[in-house]
Amino acid sequence: LTCFTHLPTVIQVEVFYKPTSNWDVLSIVFHILKILPASMADSFGIFTTNVALASGVATAIFGGALSYVLYKKSNKLEDDRSRLAPSVAASEASIDTSSGDDFDPLVYPGGLINIYFGSQTGTAEDFCGVLGRDAAHNGFKARIINLEDVSVDGGGNGDYPAELLQGASEERAACSIFLMATYGEGDPTDNVEDFIQVLKERSGKTEGGEVDPVYLKGLDYAVFGLGNVLYENYNAIGKLTDYALERLGANRIIDLCLGNDDDDLEGDFDTWREEKLWPAVVERYIGKNNATTQNSTKMQITTTKLPPCEYAIEFLDDLAAKRAAII
């Protein structure tokens, strides 16, 4: 490794091996820095000038080497991200955002579950992703839906029953989970303004509005509100959603939970989903089905007659003695 050929002194460092890591490169640089001042002092003969110049060159060498190491490190991080990307995409692909009419009941014995969000900064939407993965682990086919994507006609009446009641049948109510953030001083987030307006009108919260007690009949629901206790109208949208859904004929699975961003919003969410939401949902939609399946399997085992066997099995307690007796 030869450098500084434009200086009176040519510094030559023999490298007997190929650097295999970034730290090897830095080791070589430190070696150069160690011999640089003495070499330049011999060449220039003026100590003070030599020290200043040596310091400047040393700084340049170290800065260049450090930049090289950081550049290689950043490239490695990008490579790591590229390798991780397929696995992340695969996990997100397990969450369906389209119609959930087609799914394997053996894989998803709990059936379809709809997860809706009202989000301004993305927190509620992120929480929906967590619930989507939870759903698959608990035997449910999840649909994650932005309420902004649900159609609303010119009269202000959304086609919400058709959307929210997906998954309902004669034997099973539809199951929908709402993660509703409150924005500012009690305002809805931008993506749920139309939805909240319909809820207000249908539940009698607006002037002249009349309650429609069967508007969402056949819907089971749970609501988690995202808010901050420092604001005057704390979690106003979560509270309104929970109130209006019940007024419109829906059935509340578990009590409304209010997450407080001023304390531990994520902790509130984790406690709610792990200790309240999924135990209640699994018991309601899968518990009975599991018991039926187990009874059917047991009945099949006890009533099925095995075909006759042509062979007899004899257990030998002392194989060596048997062999000796045969010989």
Side-chain angles (χ1 to χ4, degrees), residues 177-232:
I177 302 172
F178 297 84
L179 302 184
M180 306 297 287
T182 299
Y183 181 62
E185 295 291 345
D187 298 322
T189 58
D190 293 341
N191 71 311
V192 299
E193 288 182 347
D194 292 333
F195 176 68
I196 293 299
Q197 183 61 30
V198 171
L199 289 186
K200 288 181 177 180
E201 293 174 356
R202 294 279 184 170
S203 64
K205 278 284 189 177
T206 58
E207 185 177 351
E210 296 183 2
V211 179
D212 186 349
V214 295
Y215 184 65
L216 294 176
K217 185 178 181 180
L219 172 68
D220 288 345
Y221 75 93
V223 178
F224 179 83
L226 295 81
N228 191 312
V229 74
L230 296 179
Y231 290 93
E232 182 177 356

Side-chain angles (χ1 to χ4, degrees), residues 221-291:
Y221 75 93
V223 178
F224 179 83
L226 295 81
N228 191 312
V229 74
L230 296 179
Y231 290 93
E232 182 177 356
N233 298 308
Y234 173 58
N235 256 312
I237 300 305
K239 295 175 182 177
L240 172 63
T241 303
D242 180 72
Y243 165 84
L245 291 174
E246 185 181 41
R247 293 270 287 176
L248 297 176
N251 174 61
R252 185 187 293 109
I253 301 174
I254 58 174
D255 292 337
L256 166 68
C257 182
L258 302 178
N260 180 18
D261 192 35
D262 185 52
D263 185 13
D264 184 6
L265 179 62
E266 186 173 348
D268 294 338
F269 172 69
D270 288 338
T271 300
W272 172 73
R273 68 185 179 88
E274 293 172 0
E275 299 181 7
K276 297 181 180 180
L277 176 67
W278 290 118
V281 171
V282 169
E283 180 181 359
R284 185 174 184 83
Y285 290 98
I286 301 182
K288 185 177 180 179
N289 291 337
N290 275 353

Side-chain angles (χ1 to χ4, degrees), residues 13-31:
V13 180
E14 295 184 3
V15 181
F16 296 98
Y17 66 96
K18 181 180 179 180
T20 58
S21 70
N22 296 331
W23 303 115
D24 290 341
V25 175
L26 286 178
S27 178
I28 295 172
V29 172
F30 285 135
H31 184 66

